[in-house]
Amino acid sequence: MEKNEIKLIVLDVDGVLTDGKLLIGSDGVEYKSFHVKDGMGISLARFHGIKIAMITGRKSESVHIRAKELRVDFLYEGITNKEEVLDEIVTTLNISLQNVFYMGDDINDLPVIKLVGFSAAPKDAADIVKRSVSFVSHFNGGNGAVREAIEIVLSYQVDYDVLVEKYLNETIRMTQ
């Protein structure tokens, strides 16, 4: 990966930002568990100027809420053709697919994984996906895998420690 290459991070949701379990209450409401470390990684990437997108095959109010909390730039739910959506996003941003990092966990993610400049998968992703990506996390989906991959991307582009220091200084300044 070349310096300053990644301009867009695209994430699958179920099995990447969550552990992949679907908790559906008797009232039909779907519940998901997100890891705060993944959220901090997304916040650091956004602070560095990287755009964030979530593309998922399911629709869930909890995903919508989490995306809003993290100020995700693009959220697409109920998507069967992730390639088409990715093409729309890169066209909107006027960037190359080589400037995209994608993280997915299952076979429906393979078409996008094969298109982008850098790809990753959680430790518990499908074997065929793990064989196809640039990086396999040491963590399972929903347990910090996104954070680890984002830290790698950021470390290639900037001095990570300096970025964290700037982030903390800006956060402290904004709260005063």
Side-chain angles (χ1 to χ4, degrees):
M1 184 186 323
E2 295 176 17
K3 281 191 174 267
N4 301 318
E5 181 175 48
I6 300 302
K7 298 177 181 176
L8 171 67
I9 294 173
V10 182
L11 304 167
D12 179 32
V13 175
D14 295 315
V16 173
L17 283 164
T18 75
D19 63 8
K21 294 176 184 168
L22 299 175
L23 303 174
I24 302 172
S26 59
D27 56 1
V29 176
E30 187 174 298
Y31 299 91
K32 295 179 188 285
S33 174
F34 298 91
H35 204 293
V36 294
K37 288 184 180 177
D38 291 335
M40 180 57 76
I42 290 168
S43 294
L44 282 169
R46 287 192 78 259
F47 180 77
H48 181 59
I50 298 174
K51 299 292 185 188
I52 308 295
M54 292 179 185
I55 304 174
T56 180
R58 297 183 60 83
K59 288 185 179 184
S60 169
E61 185 62 23
S62 58
V63 171
H64 182 78
I65 291 167
R66 186 63 175 149
K68 186 175 179 180
E69 286 175 348
L70 295 172
R71 299 186 342 222
V72 167
D73 300 287
F74 303 92
L75 173 61
Y76 291 86
E77 297 181 275
I79 302 302
T80 54
N81 187 337
K82 293 182 179 187
E83 291 171 274
E84 190 176 282
V85 170
L86 179 60
D87 184 56
E88 181 182 318
I89 297 170
V90 297
T91 299
T92 298
L93 295 175
N94 194 28
I95 62 172
S96 163
L97 288 168
Q98 290 305 304
N99 300 117
V100 177
F101 157 57
Y102 183 83
M103 189 167 200
D105 71 310
D106 216 335
I107 59 173
N108 61 323
D109 297 304
L110 286 171
V112 173
I113 285 168
K114 294 176 181 179
L115 293 174
V116 299
F118 184 74
S119 57
K123 179 181 173 183
D124 60 345
D127 286 339
I128 191 170
V129 173
K130 292 191 287 189
R131 290 192 306 267
S132 301
V133 297
S134 312
F135 171 75
V136 176
S137 175
H138 296 91
F139 301 99
N140 288 340
N143 288 290
V146 170
R147 170 70 172 272
E148 182 184 29
I150 287 175
E151 286 182 352
I152 287 171
V153 167
L154 291 172
S155 294
Y156 272 107
Q157 297 186 175
V158 297
D159 182 320
Y160 185 75
D161 293 342
V162 171
L163 176 66
V164 169
E165 187 175 327
K166 286 179 181 177
Y167 176 86
L168 291 172
N169 287 337
E170 182 70 19
T171 303
I172 290 168
R173 187 181 64 74
M174 289 176 62
T175 59
Q176 292 179 341

